[in-house]
Amino acid sequence: MEKYEIAHREFVRSISPECMVLLKSDGSFPLTEPGKIALYGNGARKTVKGGTGSGDVNVRSFVNVEEGLKNAGFTITSNTWLDGYDKVWGEANALFQGELRDMMAREGLGGLLKCIGAIMPEPEYELPFDGEGDTAVYILSRNSGEGADRSVKKGDFLLTDAEIRDILLLEEKYERFMLALNVGGVVDLSPVAERVSNILVLSQLGISIGDAFADVLLGRSYPSGKLTTTWSTWDDYCHVGDFAELDDTNYREGIYVGYRYFDTVGKKPIFPFGHGLSYTKFEINNVKASLSGSAVNISANVKNVGSHPGKEVVQIYVSSPEGRLDQPYKTLASFAKTKDLTPGGEEVIDLSFDMRSLSSFDEENLCDILEGGKYVLHIGTSSADTKAFSVVELDNDTIIQRLHDVGGKPDFKDYIPECKQRLTNIDNLPILKLFSENIEEMIPITPKIDEAALDLARSLPDNDLALLCTGAYNGGAGSNSVIGNAGITVAGAAGETTGIFRDIGIPALIMADGPAGIRISPQYGVDEDGIYAIGNAISPELLEIIPPQILEFLGLKQGSKERHGVIHDQYCTAIPIGTAMAQSFNESLCEATGDMVAREMERFGVNIWLAPAMNIHRLPLCGRNFEYYSEDPLLSGKIAAAITRGVEKHPSCGVSIKHFCVNNQETNRMNNSSNVSQRALRDIYLKGFRIVVDEASPSTIMSSYNLLNGEHISERYDLLETLLREEWGYSGIVMSDWVTGNHKKPTDKYDGAYAAPSIKAGNDLMMPGTPMHHENLLGAINAPEAKHPITRENLERCAARMIKLAWSKTKNKKI
Ligand code: BGC
């Protein structure tokens, strides 16, 4: 292992406990020393470090829970059970792989796409408990990933019969028992939540997960994360809207996502948003609030009143007045985490937010407004555990920003709950008066296209402009597969922009996936034909079962030619999955992690990291929720902004915040229309993206596959030019998601997205770039007969932005 690998492993180990959420605790943990421990559960050995698909990171090795406990000096007493489970799993997996192979043989490429997201359902079994000692741990794992949504089935969202039976038995059998959830998202804990006394969301923490778990068990470290999503049974979530429909998914629930729904209708979830315990206890008092302009400043004293060290996350929620616009019961407005507090230690913590961040989109008048009235401030440690402490009273309705009619419209009106929880006991709260005239209206400055870049673009022929606006598909020595590893220069990278203009000062930009670290080939070889990837971006299990003709079609070249030459390593570090990063509620930790990722980008020559992924956890079944942060847009935006700052402070590195936008399910993701009102679009689904644009200037944004109200995102001028550039002042580029275009199945209602209308709409780059994209563009320039005609100016504008980006991310500045 190289020095950087060891250092980065240690770094990930040190931050991991902040990403774990202690849901229940009876004081049995931490243990005082390592000893005998009985270890059970499907995740004990097959610990999931992060989900599947493009979000998976190829590591040299990672420490699973069993190894982590052994490293820490524990003696594992349940080996018979663990070996027995391996056997059960092996048999179930063989059957499952057989089913996938049959499906691929039947359905060809379509079958392969289904296989990419397919996860083996957890088998049922009966194995005797053999573990000695008085302490037991049960690691329950779930996996999911790109290409498929989760299901409300046993072994996925639901626990299996075997899991429920065993967890409850173990709770009785052992003096100290902990259920640790090695999951990327919610599982229905209703059968065990009441009876099990110690439950930890271990989450999926990347490379050091086993060691970090042992640290926490032994109190060498402590969990301090909070849930970023409400945990409950499937039936408890808001089901007014659709989920996982094939053609049209109607977001009828409007703004009632996650805790906004639970709190407003007064429904108690199993574990609320923001919840997370410590080994210790905290008291929050001496809460003060003041106003300066439209900024609300709050301070509170947090004291550790227990007997272990810990960190607490203080959360501020606001109930907005209900005037013309419907409002949820309360909304997260700010959060802050204490430093490490030893028993008896205290800290005055400062929080602040701008009242303008609470504005809502007024569809009738096309503006963000704050309605006049009383804004009640609550402080607490979860959305369900808060105390109102102050009121900001705004004298009049106030326009925060004038906006446009963007995103189209669905054919329904958003849901408004009939029966809403009401605020009580607010009459005696201190009031801070805010006057409309003290709130500054936001006037955007639309960035200009760089003149020098535009001049250069204007001097190039059509063909070159088209090449600049499509990824480098044209051969090369690396893998030219289109699925997630189309990179040429860096083996196993997701793709790159064209390098053929290097001589005129426009170098290629290399792009690699995230968000749980950098996804490239762990090794590559160099022979007379150039570089080739070793250890593919596709999982070995999947590679094994893909029929040769499909492999060839995908350009995976596996087995097609014996390659040799010198082998090089490029091992990257798997960091905690997106949801786990957000569970830290710690912006500086996230920034430091972004910085670590960027150091690996520099080492391996990657310019653009295809992360952070920041779609909203609209419902817990989205197969990629583990990559995303939260059901709350403020938290998503702040965490993504922090990670972005960490990456972008390295001059040659940039991010691609994705998937912009309303890409909240995997089912038919390329041809599904998310039908959303403009209010919900702006106040829930776009708000996080805007925070990143405002606070961290990301270099690139990835448009998502799906449609919004019947039009593909990459083809929506109103979103990409009017909203992003004009209203938000975004100055970076927009690229498509991979192989966007022409993917209409006979059963699909909607057509795929095309390169030409995407360029016209301000989607500057088609990735990873295919001949189809290039031809589509060339055939559309000044061609009124084309399906989607474009002008040369459309292409020059996008090409100029690409040139500017290449200049800014490479040392090879203008000629
Ligand atoms: C995913 C993206 C990813 C890209 C490149 C797509 O299938 O949706 O998140 O960045 O592939 O691998």
Side-chain angles (χ1 to χ4, degrees):
M1 236 192 278
E2 289 197 44
K3 241 183 172 172
Y4 78 92
E5 289 180 79
I6 298 169
H8 290 184
R9 248 170 213 257
E10 276 312 303
F11 171 76
V12 171
R13 178 173 180 171
S14 73
I15 64 163
S16 289
E18 292 218 21
C19 308
M20 300 180 199
V21 185
L22 189 59
L23 295 178
K24 283 188 81 179
S25 167
D26 68 355
S28 311
F29 295 90
L31 304 170
T32 46
E33 54 186 11
K36 286 186 178 169
I37 195 163
L39 174 65
Y40 303 102
N42 61 349
R45 282 184 180 157
K46 299 196 185 314
T47 313
V48 179
K49 73 172 194 321
T52 65
S54 61
D56 190 11
V57 172
N58 304 304
V59 291
R60 186 190 287 273
S61 62
F62 79 98
V63 182
N64 70 14
V65 169
E66 185 185 28
E67 286 155 0
L69 295 181
K70 284 184 183 162
N71 291 345
F74 282 99
T75 306
I76 293 173
T77 59
S78 49
N79 290 314
T80 319
W81 192 96
L82 293 171
D83 294 343
Y85 179 78
D86 281 352
K87 197 159 168 272
V88 168
W89 188 89
E91 285 161 9
N93 190 45
L95 281 177
F96 181 64
Q97 300 296 326
E99 283 165 21
L100 296 189
R101 200 175 287 131
D102 291 349
M103 179 161 74
M104 255 185 299
R106 260 192 335 265
E107 301 178 29
L109 192 57
L112 172 78
L113 292 177
K114 283 189 199 157
C115 290
I116 288 178
I119 306 288
M120 181 183 94
E122 185 55 25
E124 296 284 358
Y125 51 83
E126 204 157 336
L127 294 167
F129 296 127
D130 57 327
E132 285 172 38
D134 53 15
T135 305
V137 163
Y138 188 98
I139 311 290
L140 183 132
S141 284
R142 289 291 184 268
N143 208 348
S144 74
E146 185 170 359
D149 287 311
R150 298 177 57 200
S151 62
V152 190
K153 290 202 179 126
K154 289 178 185 174
D156 192 348
F157 189 76
L158 305 179
L159 305 193
T160 63
D161 296 341
E163 287 168 340
I164 298 169
R165 180 200 62 217
D166 290 356
I167 289 166
L168 294 178
L169 263 170
L170 292 170
E171 172 74 19
E172 295 303 315
K173 182 173 153 83
Y174 289 86
E175 201 181 311
R176 278 184 294 269
F177 172 65
M178 178 184 276
L179 167 62
L181 305 163
N182 171 220
V183 297
V186 183
V187 283
D188 177 358
L189 291 177
S190 58
V192 297
E194 278 199 8
R195 281 165 60 191
V196 177
S197 317
N198 297 283
I199 308 180
L200 176 78
V201 180
L202 171 60
S203 197
Q204 298 172 345
L205 301 172
I207 202 146
S208 308
I209 180 166
D211 286 332
F213 179 58
D215 290 343
V216 160
L217 268 191
L218 287 168
R220 293 175 183 160
S221 191
Y222 49 82
S224 64
K226 302 278 177 179
L227 291 182
T228 63
T229 283
T230 307
W231 278 49
S232 215
T233 62
W234 174 245
D235 287 346
D236 281 351
Y237 294 91
C238 185
H239 292 296
V240 177
D242 310 321
F243 182 73
E245 290 297 319
L246 280 181
D247 296 321
D248 288 285
T249 304
N250 295 313
Y251 289 37
R252 286 190 211 91
E253 73 285 356
I255 55 173
Y256 290 98
V257 175
Y259 71 85
R260 284 168 168 75
Y261 169 72
F262 280 84
D263 285 352
T264 306
V265 302
K267 191 178 273 190
K268 204 170 164 292
I270 302 178
F271 295 108
F273 172 88
H275 171 74
L277 304 172
S278 284
Y279 287 151
T280 190
K281 291 218 160 7
F282 297 96
E283 261 175 27
I284 301 178
N285 48 43
N286 210 10
V287 184
K288 293 183 191 140
S290 63
L291 268 178
S292 84
S294 55
V296 182
N297 302 311
I298 298 149
S299 72
N301 192 63
V302 185
K303 183 168 184 187
N304 182 344
V305 293
S307 49
H308 289 275
K311 290 186 181 185
E312 180 59 296
V313 175
V314 179
Q315 302 161 37
I316 304 293
Y317 295 84
V318 176
S319 304
S320 297
E322 291 223 50
R324 227 169 8 91
L325 301 184
D326 174 50
Q327 296 292 353
Y329 184 64
K330 58 185 187 289
T331 302
L332 183 70
S334 183
F335 60 90
K337 195 166 194 172
T338 64
K339 58 183 197 256
D340 178 84
L341 292 177
T342 49
E346 47 195 313
E347 182 184 351
V348 176
I349 196 144
D350 294 315
L351 301 107
S352 68
F353 65 93
D354 194 309
M355 283 296 289
R356 291 179 297 183
S357 67
L358 298 176
S359 62
S360 310
F361 184 62
D362 177 354
E363 289 202 33
E364 223 172 277
N365 301 302
L366 294 179
C367 55
D368 270 346
I369 63 160
L370 279 175
E371 289 196 89
K374 289 183 171 166
Y375 291 78
V376 180
L377 315 188
H378 311 253
I379 189 164
T381 53
S382 82
S383 75
D385 174 21
T386 57
K387 194 167 172 264
F389 66 96
S390 192
V391 170
V392 174
E393 188 167 11
L394 174 63
D395 58 347
N396 279 314
D397 289 1
T398 309
I399 294 184
I400 302 302
Q401 186 175 354
R402 286 159 220 268
L403 300 162
H404 301 86
D405 181 348
V406 160
K409 286 198 169 75
D411 62 4
F412 54 81
K413 286 241 168 312
D414 280 357
Y415 158 74
I416 298 181
E418 266 166 37
C419 225
K420 288 179 149 196
Q421 202 186 155
R422 296 268 159 230
L423 281 166
T424 49
N425 297 335
I426 55 162
D427 294 343
N428 297 327
L429 297 177
I431 295 185
L432 299 164
K433 297 262 185 205
L434 176 62
F435 301 99
S436 201
E437 71 236 33
N438 292 341
I439 304 181
E440 208 182 313
E441 186 176 328
M442 290 162 75
I443 316 261
I445 301 173
T446 309
K448 290 228 160 40
I449 305 224
D450 185 271
E451 279 300 326
L454 196 55
D455 282 348
L456 178 52
R458 285 186 179 134
S459 72
L460 298 173
D462 290 356
N463 187 49
D464 291 2
L465 294 181
L467 286 171
L468 277 168
C469 295
T470 50
Y473 65 84
N474 46 349
S479 162
N480 60 1
S481 155
V482 289
I483 44 173
N485 61 339
I488 297 166
T489 314
V490 174
E496 62 192 68
T497 56
T498 180
I500 60 175
F501 303 113
R502 177 170 291 278
D503 290 351
I504 58 163
I506 314 169
L509 293 169
I510 317 301
M511 305 185 181
D513 257 308
I518 303 169
R519 178 174 168 78
I520 50 181
S521 283
Q523 292 189 309
Y524 68 95
V526 187
D527 64 12
E528 67 279 4
D529 291 335
I531 66 158
Y532 61 98
I534 303 172
N536 223 290
I538 293 195
S539 75
E541 290 85 14
L542 193 53
L543 261 188
E544 232 170 67
I545 58 171
I546 299 179
Q549 67 279 17
I550 298 188
L551 270 185
E552 202 167 314
F553 172 80
L554 295 169
L556 283 171
K557 295 182 175 165
Q558 213 74 349
S560 57
K561 180 182 173 219
E562 184 86 3
R563 311 255 332 228
H564 47 270
V566 186
I567 308 292
H568 300 270
D569 288 349
Q570 41 180 21
Y571 288 106
C572 292
T573 306
I575 62 171
I577 55 168
T579 306
M581 291 302 300
Q583 281 169 184
S584 73
F585 274 71
N586 184 337
E587 290 167 78
S588 53
L589 173 149
C590 291
E591 188 168 333
T593 309
D595 178 63
M596 187 219 83
V597 169
R599 276 182 274 125
E600 292 190 2
M601 291 169 71
E602 287 172 333
R603 171 175 286 268
F604 297 115
V606 172
N607 302 107
I608 304 292
W609 188 40
L610 304 175
M614 50 181 305
N615 295 93
I616 290 291
H617 294 170
R618 175 177 172 241
L619 281 166
L621 293 189
C622 171
R624 295 185 85 172
N625 271 357
F626 73 98
E627 296 184 56
Y628 307 148
Y629 299 121
S630 173
E631 66 189 22
D632 181 77
L634 175 89
L635 180 62
S636 301
K638 292 283 180 186
I639 296 296
I643 294 178
T644 299
R645 280 194 298 273
V647 173
E648 298 259 356
K649 70 182 172 211
H650 296 249
S652 67
C653 302
V655 300
S656 192
I657 53 173
K658 68 186 187 185
H659 308 87
F660 183 86
C661 55
V662 279
N663 181 191
N664 305 91
Q665 71 178 43
E666 288 299 287
T667 305
N668 201 19
R669 61 181 171 154
M670 291 188 173
N671 296 72
N672 189 281
S673 177
S674 297
N675 301 326
V676 191
S677 72
Q678 294 194 1
R679 166 90 192 274
L681 177 70
R682 291 196 182 250
D683 291 358
I684 303 288
Y685 298 100
L686 292 176
K687 194 170 173 169
F689 285 100
R690 174 149 199 187
I691 291 172
V692 189
V693 169
D694 284 351
E695 296 185 4
S697 303
S699 295
T700 84
I701 293 180
M702 187 190 289
S703 57
S704 52
Y705 290 127
N706 54 288
L707 302 91
L708 164 64
N709 293 322
E711 248 182 76
H712 272 284
I713 300 287
S714 66
E715 298 181 353
R716 288 208 81 115
Y717 185 94
D718 58 355
L719 268 188
L720 307 188
E721 291 290 354
T722 312
L723 180 132
L724 272 181
R725 272 94 179 201
E726 241 185 85
E727 293 182 355
W728 296 7
Y730 174 60
S731 59
I733 67 118
V734 178
M735 70 173 88
S736 73
D737 199 346
W738 263 232
V739 290
T740 288
N742 272 3
H743 288 286
K744 188 173 183 196
K745 299 185 284 304
T747 46
D748 282 330
K749 169 173 169 186
Y750 296 107
D751 205 356
Y754 289 83
S758 299
I759 290 292
K760 191 169 179 182
N763 187 101
D764 309 292
L765 177 67
M766 300 305 289
M767 285 303 290
T770 62
M772 172 188 84
H773 292 145
H774 188 230
E775 280 156 26
N776 184 252
L777 288 178
L778 286 182
I781 305 173
N782 297 332
E785 73 289 355
K787 187 168 177 196
H788 305 284
I790 57 170
T791 60
R792 207 189 119 91
E793 287 71 37
N794 294 148
L795 205 50
E796 284 169 354
R797 178 193 50 171
C798 295
R801 289 196 191 119
M802 291 309 306
I803 294 170
K804 177 75 196 321
L805 179 69
W807 284 345
S808 70
K809 289 296 159 202
T810 54
K811 289 185 196 76
N812 199 350
K813 289 269 178 189
K814 299 173 208 178
I815 15 165

